[in-house]
Amino acid sequence: LVCCCRYTGKPTMVEVTPSTPSGGGSRQIPIVCPGHTRPLAELQFLAVKDEDESRTFLVSACHDKMPMLRDGVSGDWIGTFAGHKGAVWCCRLDPSGYLAATASGDFSVKVWDGITGKELHTYQHKHIVKTLDFSPDSRRLATGGHEGLLRIYELSQPKAEPVAVPQLKEKKINITKCNWLDDNVLLAACSDGGVRFWDVSTSGEPKLLRTLKVDAEVRDMEISPGKKLLTVAAGTKVNFFDLSSYELVRSHKMPIHFRDEGGASLHPDGTKFVAGGSDLWVRLFDFDSGEQLECHKGHHGPLRCLRFSPDGKTFATGSEDGTIRLWNTESS
């Protein structure tokens, strides 16, 4: 997999100080991935399996306008998707890894060839675009941001008008994250603390199915492997909803807040989660009790984003300091 891009350096091993806040954990020496020059905004892992190879990739969105693609295991830089004129808030690969998409503060979304790095389409918006996601079948792309409209594009018809879905009729609210639950149901997390489930099947007008509520603006949202749980980071809490009953099954108050940055990610086995936000510490918690299991310092700025790898052996963190760090979870 090669992108049209510039070289930005290889990962390095940097020793970090031992943990000191409450919560133990072994000393960590993470892989440090340089290359970005501004705060990180979002990270996504993708495991690709086919007849020729099986690889894990990591994409990063950053305020330096240069979203990057890396090897998800080694952290080695593969390519940069160059073309935006504003901060990039979101970067996603489609399930096959053949397409990438980026959402930017330049009021646009771009779709890229994931192999060559060539820009394929640009979708103009009327305000900052904060989030996007490919449908599981890779046929549609959803976007959202400060316009308060959830847009759904048919990727086979790049010039066609998208379906636009306002989140509230009476007032505009920002969309902070969007994720497809399946090919017909799309989740939109918003600044009013609502996570709205939309039926956006092509057979009719979008229909609001239900709304889950948390007590602050949603900063991060993740659907677990197997689509059993929804992780929502908002305010000072990490909330977990059962996606079959839609009930809140766990809500843990954090020693940090998510008002301006940060997020949470559930381990693939569902027994623990990682969270970070308003301080420099990377914390691992028990899912059931909320007890802090590990706490590590390595970044030199607040955490902006984090995600577990698909196999759960590592997790990645992105910070205001412009670096991505890959941490080992084997000790936990």
Side-chain angles (χ1 to χ4, degrees):
L1 184 66
V2 179
C3 291
C4 300
C5 46
R6 60 184 185 183
Y7 179 73
T8 54
K10 289 191 174 183
T12 57
M13 299 292 286
V14 177
E15 188 167 331
V16 299
T17 57
S19 314
T20 55
S22 60
S26 60
R27 187 184 184 114
Q28 279 267 16
I29 303 177
I31 296 174
V32 181
C33 306
H36 286 301
T37 59
R38 297 288 304 279
L40 273 292
E42 189 176 83
L43 297 167
Q44 181 212 9
F45 280 101
L46 177 70
V48 177
K49 297 180 181 179
D50 55 34
E51 296 178 357
D52 299 324
E53 63 174 352
S54 295
R55 290 185 68 179
T56 299
F57 298 103
L58 175 65
V59 287
S60 54
C62 184
H63 291 194
D64 64 6
K65 313 173 190 177
M66 296 290 184
M68 294 184 182
L69 176 68
R70 299 177 184 273
D71 184 281
V73 176
S74 68
D76 287 340
W77 173 86
I78 297 173
T80 300
F81 300 101
H84 279 293
K85 297 179 180 178
V88 176
W89 288 96
C90 181
C91 184
R92 300 280 176 92
L93 294 171
D94 85 311
S96 71
Y98 290 125
L99 294 174
T102 50
S104 174
D106 64 10
F107 297 13
S108 77
V109 162
K110 292 183 183 292
V111 178
W112 313 79
D113 186 306
I115 306 298
T116 66
K118 179 183 177 182
E119 182 181 324
L120 301 177
H121 311 298
T122 296
Y123 298 114
Q124 293 297 330
H125 291 61
K126 296 179 181 179
H127 212 313
I128 294 169
V129 191
K130 297 296 290 286
T131 183
L132 51 76
D133 197 28
F134 287 99
S135 60
D137 62 9
S138 300
R139 294 181 178 181
R140 294 190 284 176
L141 180 71
T143 70
H146 286 188
E147 282 184 87
L149 293 175
L150 191 62
R151 287 188 170 90
I152 299 104
Y153 294 88
E154 294 286 342
L155 292 173
S156 63
Q157 304 173 50
K159 295 184 178 180
E161 285 295 313
V163 175
V165 187
Q167 297 307 288
L168 285 179
K169 294 181 179 180
E170 59 270 21
K171 65 176 182 178
K172 185 189 78 171
I173 52 174
N174 295 342
I175 299 172
T176 57
K177 297 289 179 181
C178 67
N179 291 94
W180 293 84
L181 183 60
D182 56 40
D183 288 327
N184 295 314
V185 178
L186 181 60
L187 278 60
C190 300
S191 56
D192 68 345
V195 178
R196 293 169 174 82
F197 289 61
W198 292 95
D199 180 345
V200 292
S201 56
T202 55
S203 59
E205 290 292 317
K207 178 183 177 182
L208 181 63
L209 300 175
R210 63 185 53 84
T211 301
L212 304 179
K213 292 289 289 186
V214 294
D215 56 9
E217 177 177 349
V218 176
R219 184 62 52 220
D220 194 17
M221 178 174 68
E222 178 190 56
I223 298 173
S224 70
K227 301 181 180 179
K228 294 181 179 179
L229 291 172
L230 179 69
T231 304
V232 179
T236 59
K237 296 178 182 177
V238 177
N239 306 280
F240 298 95
F241 293 89
D242 186 307
L243 284 172
S244 59
S245 66
Y246 307 105
E247 294 181 355
L248 179 67
V249 293
R250 297 287 187 280
S251 182
H252 298 304
K253 186 173 176 59
M254 297 285 100
I256 53 173
H257 66 75
F258 306 109
R259 287 192 291 273
D260 302 310
E261 62 264 311
S265 181
L266 182 65
H267 190 276
D269 69 9
T271 63
K272 49 188 170 279
F273 66 96
V274 66
S278 55
D279 64 12
L280 311 182
W281 302 92
V282 181
R283 294 177 172 89
L284 190 74
F285 299 88
D286 180 78
F287 171 78
D288 285 321
S289 67
E291 177 189 356
Q292 184 172 297
L293 303 175
E294 296 185 9
C295 184
H296 304 287
K297 184 177 180 181
H299 285 291
H300 302 290
L303 270 68
R304 290 293 187 97
C305 47
L306 52 161
R307 282 294 181 266
F308 271 107
S309 62
D311 62 11
K313 293 181 179 180
T314 61
F315 62 90
T317 58
S319 167
E320 200 168 299
D321 65 14
T323 66
I324 299 168
R325 296 174 189 249
L326 297 177
W327 304 82
N328 210 335
T329 56
E330 289 300 283
S331 62
S332 58

